[in-house]
Amino acid sequence: MAEFFNQISGLLWGHILIYLLIAAGVFFTIRLGFIQFAQFPHMIKVMANSRNGAGEGISSFQAFCTSLAARVGTGNMAGVAVALYLGGAGAIFWMWLIALIGMATSFAESALAQLYKVKDEEGNYRGGPAYYMQYGLNKRWMGVLFSLCLILAFGLVFNAVQSNSIAAAFEVAFDVPKYVMGIILVIGSAIIIFGGLKTIARFAELVVPFMALAYLLVALYVCFSNFEQLPAVFKQIINSAFGLEQAAGGAVGFAVMQAMIQGIKRGLFSNEAGMGSAANAAASATPNPNHPASQGYVQMLGVFVDTIVICSATAALVLLSNQLVPDSGVTGIALTQKALVEHVGDWGAVFIAIAIFFFAFTSIVANYSYAETNLIFLQENKMAMMIFRVCVLGMVMFGAVGELGLIWTLADISMGLMAIVNVAALFMLSGIVIWLAKDYRAQLKQGKTPKFDPSSRPEIAKTLPAGIWHKKQ
């Protein structure tokens, strides 16, 4: 069974997604005028004002924290270590690359999610790829397919991945049995996910900035303590990315392909650009400025913080240590723990265990919120929601005591299927994305605070859900 799933994962990532995601990132980067570079200062400005405008929904900052809670988790600490172990130091270069071009893809999916959002029975804004597939493309079947993939990936499999890393880290640091940690995680998750979308947003807003800052401070301490080694580490990443460290031509080709596959795979798992997941959080916000494109800027920054900042911190911890040994069997969260212990002593294992608890636990509750939005898209049924919540908690428990290899493989497959469906929709709706970006920038150039007016494009206005953009929020 494991071999069967490995073959499917290899087909998706080795022959389809590695090209599809790069193509999407390059396409939107060019068509949007290299927005992630040219508009970087404005992206920071929008983020600085993101606490305003909460209105009927949640604020852009809360949406940013919710999406970052899902992004910043196992992928940043265990996933980076896995990429380094399987793909070598060069995997980090490809992780950086997919993040930089993926920022443009993230803008596209987040702006579309804002444009086609709806309001549920409780007054919360909901949206995401399933919604822009139904309203923007008039293809509900496509939205249903995406929703099923997302529910499988984020509601079930990814939560097992997160709990697996937490349980493994606490077993190493505190000798806590995995099943005990599983029970604790189930109880904690239940308290928050039964509180609803706004409870999840408030929880993420409080926890995410604190946990990210603490982890970065420790990583910066390690980097400054080993400052003289940083140029050599950077050189190692570049050389390994292009096979310059291998002697034989065959070895070069294999090494580069492994670095590319592992870097892009783990990079996407971490920053989720193009996958369509963070778009669900983007749709839930009341944006400031009141224009769909503004939420695209906010979510672009999420990709940057997740991969260029936090994933790089983990890579530095590992590559500045002597713990990365091929075929040693030490990988995942255990490799990150051993690396930090080498740098700072035994308390490093404890710190990583606590950090992964906050990183991965917030990912569990944010992942659930994505799945909930897509379950509502399929059918808004309270009994179905209750059953699904129980299933989510069951997967949290399963992940805590399950085997890492098969869980990661299932995560890769479900993530890959999501990305294929979402990227196809993004290409079909690319004209609307480009128009939104141009409309936003045109108003900025006129000295105005951008505001979306659907009447300027009647053919688009008639496809929008009723009662959202047709009236003042």
Side-chain angles (χ1 to χ4, degrees), residues 7 10 258 470:
Q7 289 179 357
Q258 279 294 101
H470 295 291

Side-chain angles (χ1 to χ4, degrees), residues 97-127:
L97 179 64
I98 199 64
L100 289 173
I101 65 174
M103 288 172 71
T105 313
S106 183
F107 176 92
E109 61 190 2
S110 299
L112 286 172
Q114 259 292 316
L115 181 64
Y116 290 106
K117 66 185 178 183
V118 302
K119 187 178 290 188
D120 66 16
E121 292 180 349
E122 298 178 357
N124 299 311
Y125 289 125
R126 302 276 185 178

